[in-house]
Amino acid sequence: MVFPCNEIRKTAWEVLKNFDHALILREDDPLLPAILAVYDAQGIRNGAPSNRMKGAPVKTDLITCYPDCRLVVTKETLTTEGMIKIAYDLLKDKLNIAKITFTSGVNAASQEYKPQGTVDRCPLCGIALDENGVCPKCGYRK
């Protein structure tokens, strides 16, 4: 069964929303300490009332997300290839990914993957069933 595109977007957005309007720097960027000092001086390092677009704090081998101050620190250079590595790392356990393509201006990259495992899905709407075999969208029970 194919996973509906709107559900793929919702699943991916929950993980990737940390990148929305975020400052994204490599951990070895010489500007990072200066930017953190400015955030401290302005009192926004731990969040600002206007920041309502926050994802969950995330820490992996490739990135650390600080959603309160809209900062993502990476170990990868944020090329299209680097973003594919990061996105796959964040989503591989949530989606059965066969291919990821990123474009940025005239740059583009794609990576194909061998899908792993299967996920029980609702026959009515295609949403992944929860651990009890229930569809969180329509209530279907397996």
Side-chain angles (χ1 to χ4, degrees), residues 30 88 122 130:
Y88 182 76
C122 174
D130 68 14

Side-chain angles (χ1 to χ4, degrees), residues 74-132:
T74 72
K75 291 187 180 178
E76 281 290 326
T77 300
L78 216 55
T79 60
T80 51
E81 294 86 359
M83 193 60 201
I84 287 171
K85 287 180 190 176
I86 291 167
Y88 182 76
D89 186 52
L90 292 170
L91 294 168
K92 68 184 179 215
D93 297 329
K94 298 180 183 310
L95 297 170
N96 206 6
I97 299 170
K99 183 177 182 179
I100 296 177
T101 301
F102 269 90
T103 60
S104 175
V106 296
N107 299 313
S110 288
Q111 179 67 48
E112 293 188 18
Y113 301 92
K114 183 177 179 186
Q116 301 175 20
T118 59
V119 176
D120 282 338
R121 303 210 180 276
C122 174
L124 303 175
C125 57
I127 305 304
L129 300 177
D130 68 14
E131 62 277 354
N132 299 316

Side-chain angles (χ1 to χ4, degrees), residues 31-45:
L31 289 175
L32 182 58
I35 288 168
L36 291 174
V38 169
Y39 284 6
D40 283 332
Q42 292 181 350
I44 61 171
R45 185 166 179 177

